[in-house]
Amino acid sequence: EALTKHRIAGQGMLSAGNITVDTAVTHFAGALWSYGPLAFLKSNMAKVVLGSVLPKDCVDEFAELARADMEEEMSSARRLLQVQDKCVAYTQHLIGGLGFLSMGNVSVDAGADATFEGPFDHQGPGIVNVSAGGHARLTGNYGDAVID
């Protein structure tokens, strides 16, 4: 039996509470912002896709640039400037708060820029996949703490 498919596009989704994805495919084409002290994202036997609302030709161009064999050193910013004018920004996803407990598959597609500020705990048989042209940043939100 096929999993139910959910697609969240447009301006995306803003959540300061709990999001649970069970035995479904949920594609966030619009930005996902799970943020706040009690924000929590959980998936169970599911697939969560952090994607992009950019047109397909822009996404393809991001992926092509990311896969290109670079003969000269070029920064990410300079490479982005080579992309068409309408393709100037990635779709931003932010997972903060209490973080993300994943017990399934997670994908960061081309054209998506995902920042995991809360704990990202990936368990079970699933895989985390970052496609060419996608970007995943695992960081922290330290508040007033000083990191040595």
Side-chain angles (χ1 to χ4, degrees):
E1 185 175 319
L3 296 178
T4 300
K5 294 181 181 177
H6 306 283
R7 179 176 165 82
I8 299 165
Q11 296 295 313
M13 180 177 192
L14 174 62
S15 173
N18 293 331
I19 301 171
T20 302
V21 180
D22 282 324
T23 58
V25 176
T26 303
H27 183 201
F28 291 95
L32 168 62
W33 281 65
S34 175
Y35 201 74
L38 300 177
F40 186 64
L41 176 60
K42 178 182 176 186
S43 70
N44 182 34
M45 300 301 292
K47 181 176 182 180
V48 174
V49 179
L50 302 175
S52 176
V53 291
L54 292 174
K56 184 177 181 341
D57 58 332
C58 292
V59 171
D60 292 344
E61 199 163 343
F62 276 124
E64 184 179 325
L65 275 174
R67 284 192 291 267
D69 201 13
M70 296 294 169
E71 293 180 7
E72 63 184 66
E73 281 292 316
M74 194 180 304
S75 72
S76 296
R78 184 170 171 180
R79 289 170 65 190
L80 271 179
L81 290 175
Q82 292 182 338
V83 180
Q84 304 170 25
D85 288 340
K86 65 180 178 179
C87 308
V88 293
Y90 282 81
T91 298
Q92 303 289 318
H93 302 279
L94 175 64
I95 312 297
L98 298 174
F100 183 8
L101 173 59
S102 168
M103 295 180 285
N105 294 331
V106 179
S107 293
V108 179
D109 285 353
D113 182 0
T115 300
F116 298 88
E117 276 188 1
F120 182 26
D121 186 1
H122 181 73
Q123 302 177 8
I127 189 168
V128 177
N129 179 52
V130 180
S131 298
H135 184 251
R137 179 181 305 106
L138 290 96
T139 182
N141 184 353
Y142 302 108
D144 294 332
V146 175
I147 308 301
D148 293 324

